[in-house]
Amino acid sequence: MQTDKKSGRNVVDMYRRYLRLQRNFSVNTIDAYLRDVQKLLVYLHGVGVEPLEATIDDLRHFAAGLHDIGIGPRSQCRILSGVRSFYRFLLLDGYIESDPTELLESPQLGDHLPEVLSTEEVDRMEAAIDLSKWEGHRNRAIVEVLFSCGLRVSELVMLRLSSLYRDEGYVRVMGKGSKERLVPISQRALTELEFWFDDRCRMDIKPGEEDYVFLNRRGAHLTRTMVLIIIKQLAAAAGIQKTVSPHTLRHSFATALLEGGADLRAIQTMLGHESISTTEIYTHIDTTTLREEILLHHPRNIRRGEN
């Protein structure tokens, strides 16, 4: 065990190195983990406790403080998950002899069923697109690829031409932790991409951006924020009252597969979930849909007209 005291800054620098080199996390993921740790360090500094000397009581007071300043339960869980990761690293690298987060509890979360779009609603979004505009076919391809492949928005904006296997009907996706996976792509999505490529080939593309599938009008690849804006505007134009984001189309993809009889493990693979427990949220969605169908169609629930 290392007995010399390390400053919080040095420990965080080593933690950043660990996340980058050993966990192989993306820059965005590393930044998120470090923001969680920084919240803890600010708190510990305020109460005069070194991070290597923090106890379970210190961490429980920190967790209670998150609630007191109005941070919601889901965000609390994410922050505490980042704190646990930090202390697991400290234990692994010998900075501490025991992990004070072992008994640290997260707030209970109720089942959160994400919004889901029907195929008819997705069709309405696509129908709302003005194909006379230069970005029309691009936006239709974005909607169709998100819905047909279940990609994360970060995976969509980084999608490369060299990752499309059109003849085989697959797309190679770089997911979280730089993990690659092959995802089937529908013929409908491929057709929409071909229409977009006809327009794309006439664009002035910036050097270094040539391999990205989806570009903005300046010839650079789209950002996640831009895709979010596109999807929200299309949902509004289609008259959809739900809260819709690119992730809604990912949820809709998974739910449609489950309702169609796909195996949960297959859905896990296509979504790139590391744990099956993450995928199991869709079993709750399917159960809710099933209950609605029973209430609507089962003879015991149908109100009979008066004779």
Side-chain angles (χ1 to χ4, degrees):
M1 288 288 174
Q2 297 180 10
T3 57
D4 58 319
K5 299 291 184 182
K6 302 289 185 182
S7 71
R9 184 187 183 108
N10 288 339
V11 170
V12 171
D13 287 342
M14 295 303 295
Y15 181 52
R16 178 188 289 108
R17 182 181 179 87
Y18 161 77
L19 294 175
R20 180 169 57 88
L21 299 180
Q22 296 192 39
R23 298 298 301 274
N24 199 28
F25 284 160
S26 68
V27 172
N28 288 334
T29 300
I30 292 172
D31 287 345
Y33 272 82
L34 294 179
R35 282 195 298 271
D36 295 336
V37 171
Q38 189 59 38
K39 289 182 176 68
L40 173 67
L41 295 182
V42 169
Y43 168 78
L44 292 178
H45 178 75
V47 295
V49 175
E50 292 293 330
L52 302 184
E53 298 174 350
T55 66
I56 181 61
D57 286 337
D58 294 321
L59 298 178
R60 283 173 175 160
H61 289 144
F62 166 70
L66 296 177
H67 175 269
D68 291 343
I69 62 175
I71 295 178
R74 195 164 298 277
S75 294
Q76 290 177 44
C77 287
R78 192 209 69 243
I79 293 168
L80 295 180
S81 176
V83 170
R84 290 188 188 93
S85 173
F86 177 59
Y87 276 98
R88 282 195 295 269
F89 157 74
L90 294 179
L91 181 66
L92 181 67
D93 261 33
Y95 289 106
I96 56 178
E97 295 184 355
S98 61
D99 182 358
T101 68
E102 284 184 341
L103 300 178
L104 182 63
E105 297 179 349
S106 292
Q108 294 296 314
L109 297 176
D111 288 337
H112 173 66
L113 303 185
E115 297 275 23
V116 176
L117 297 176
S118 66
T119 303
E120 183 270 336
E121 287 173 319
V122 175
D123 290 342
R124 279 164 50 195
M125 287 177 61
E126 294 183 359
I129 296 171
D130 185 353
L131 296 180
S132 68
K133 295 183 178 180
W134 79 269
E135 72 272 18
H137 285 298
R138 181 203 66 185
N139 290 352
R140 284 189 66 148
I142 286 173
V143 173
E144 198 57 42
V145 169
L146 286 171
F147 181 58
S148 296
C149 300
L151 302 188
R152 301 177 178 94
V153 64
S154 57
E155 296 167 347
L156 180 92
V157 298
M158 298 305 291
L159 194 61
R160 309 283 185 134
L161 295 174
S162 55
S163 297
L164 295 177
Y165 301 93
R166 285 174 261 186
D167 292 339
E168 294 82 0
Y170 282 90
V171 57
R172 189 176 76 247
V173 178
M174 182 68 73
K176 286 186 175 181
S178 299
K179 294 180 180 178
E180 286 189 347
R181 69 184 190 278
L182 286 175
V183 178
I185 184 170
S186 70
Q187 185 56 52
R188 172 76 172 268
L190 288 171
T191 299
E192 296 296 346
L193 282 171
E194 291 299 333
F195 286 134
W196 157 236
F197 292 154
D198 287 343
D199 296 333
R200 184 185 181 281
C201 68
R202 293 189 288 271
M203 294 181 62
D204 184 16
I205 301 175
K206 286 187 175 182
E209 304 285 304
E210 296 88 354
D211 198 32
Y212 288 101
V213 172
F214 295 110
L215 304 173
N216 60 28
R217 63 176 64 249
R218 294 180 297 278
H221 69 277
L222 291 175
T223 64
R224 291 178 295 177
T225 301
M226 192 65 231
V227 176
L228 174 63
I229 292 171
I230 290 169
I231 296 301
K232 284 188 173 297
Q233 288 177 342
L234 291 179
I240 297 172
Q241 301 299 314
K242 301 172 182 177
T243 301
V244 179
S245 71
H247 214 65
T248 309
L249 291 164
R250 177 170 161 88
H251 288 312
S252 305
F253 161 84
T255 304
L257 284 178
L258 186 64
E259 292 176 349
D263 180 76
L264 201 61
R265 290 286 181 184
I267 299 173
Q268 176 191 1
T269 299
M270 285 185 279
L271 291 174
H273 286 162
E274 187 171 339
S275 170
I276 190 67
S277 63
T278 308
T279 316
E280 284 174 344
I281 179 65
Y282 299 105
T283 63
H284 299 302
I285 298 172
D286 193 46
T287 301
T288 301
T289 304
L290 178 62
R291 181 178 183 277
E292 291 172 352
E293 290 296 307
I294 291 173
L295 291 176
L296 182 63
H297 298 295
H298 194 280
R300 293 296 189 214
N301 297 308
I302 297 175
R303 293 184 178 180
R304 305 295 181 183
E306 294 182 0
N307 293 329

